[in-house]
Amino acid sequence: MSTIALSKSGSYDRIMRLLGSLWFLLLALCVAVRIGASLHDPWPALLSSFCLGIFYMLLALLIMTRSPAKAHADGLLPRIAAFVGSYLPWTISFLGKTDDTLPNLASTACVLVGTIMMLVTIRHLGRSFSLVPQARSVVQSGPYRWIKHPLYVAEEIVVLGVVLQYLTPVTVIVLVLHIGIQVCRILYEEDLLRRNCPEYSSYEASRWRVIPYVW
């Protein structure tokens, strides 16, 4: 690869990191503004919003500090899947939320569990975190000892929490679509790792993808 191409690739990665971080910081700001404007709402609603805002800030930090990739997925479809999968479900935050106690408590539990799972996973993943399918290294410690994609599981739990906060038929449809897109992202990522990390084949053969004994 030429120096120019490398430079372009580095510039592209920096721009994507900046835009991704700004997007989640914007969402965190929207949540903070909403909390400030609704301090008299029931405490379960405020708690679920606060947890979601913390999650958005954490994602912004992770995107900004990720390391350069060894290789990127080829073609447009993996990038589209990554873009839609990464940003579509969080647009739910712009919809009107419910004040009902039970959905908000369930939402808080999901966001907290998903965030803790993500922090534990990131502790072992380190700066190999990415949105678009990229090859950095094959992590086999922590939750990666049992499943190949714990970060996707953590993210989906948080998305479920967001849907419970903004529960409507539309948000349920978004959740179902998001799960389908995440499956595509997993398959793209596995193909990329298979082609660029020789150690991945033996690791792949001995792990379930997301749910042990199911898939």
Side-chain angles (χ1 to χ4, degrees):
M1 184 182 289
S2 67
T3 304
I4 295 177
L6 282 170
S7 176
K8 288 181 178 178
S9 175
S11 298
Y12 173 83
D13 185 66
R14 284 192 293 272
I15 291 171
M16 290 299 100
R17 277 190 290 163
L18 177 62
L19 293 177
S21 296
L22 288 176
W23 166 250
F24 286 109
L25 285 174
L26 172 63
L27 290 178
L29 178 61
C30 290
V31 171
V33 169
R34 186 168 293 167
I35 291 174
S38 54
L39 289 176
H40 298 294
D41 285 357
W43 68 266
L46 294 175
L47 179 61
S48 62
S49 294
F50 176 77
C51 292
L52 186 58
I54 295 297
F55 177 77
Y56 288 148
M57 292 179 66
L58 178 62
L59 274 183
L61 177 64
L62 291 174
I63 292 171
M64 203 64 206
T65 57
R66 72 185 185 206
S67 63
K70 292 181 182 177
H72 297 262
D74 297 325
L76 188 60
L77 286 178
R79 294 180 183 275
I80 292 175
F83 183 84
V84 175
S86 298
Y87 301 115
L88 171 66
W90 313 117
T91 58
I92 294 173
S93 299
F94 293 110
L95 303 177
K97 71 190 300 291
T98 180
D99 290 329
D100 294 341
T101 298
L102 187 58
N104 276 294
L105 288 177
S107 170
T108 300
C110 286
V111 173
L112 285 175
V113 169
T115 301
I116 291 169
M117 285 181 63
M118 191 171 84
L119 287 171
V120 171
T121 302
I122 291 295
R123 179 176 176 274
H124 294 274
L125 189 62
R127 296 177 66 202
S128 294
F129 171 80
S130 67
L131 299 180
V132 177
Q134 296 174 335
R136 287 180 170 85
S137 61
V138 179
V139 180
Q140 303 185 39
S141 60
Y144 288 92
R145 288 178 291 177
W146 300 292
I147 58 175
K148 291 186 287 185
H149 304 283
L151 202 56
Y152 285 106
V153 176
E155 182 182 3
E156 217 55 46
I157 291 173
V158 177
V159 172
L160 175 60
V162 178
V163 169
L164 289 170
Q165 229 182 89
Y166 303 85
L167 192 57
T168 66
V170 173
T171 57
V172 173
I173 291 172
V174 170
L175 174 63
V176 173
L177 288 174
H178 187 252
I179 291 173
I181 292 168
Q182 294 293 71
V183 170
C184 293
R185 292 177 71 186
I186 285 171
L187 297 177
Y188 286 135
E189 183 178 307
E190 288 180 353
D191 177 64
L192 182 68
L193 288 168
R194 211 175 287 123
R195 289 185 286 108
N196 291 277
C197 299
E199 68 272 28
Y200 186 71
S201 295
S202 59
Y203 169 78
E204 178 183 31
S206 59
R207 304 293 192 283
W208 294 92
R209 284 188 170 97
V210 294
I211 304 175
Y213 306 102
V214 177
W215 187 65

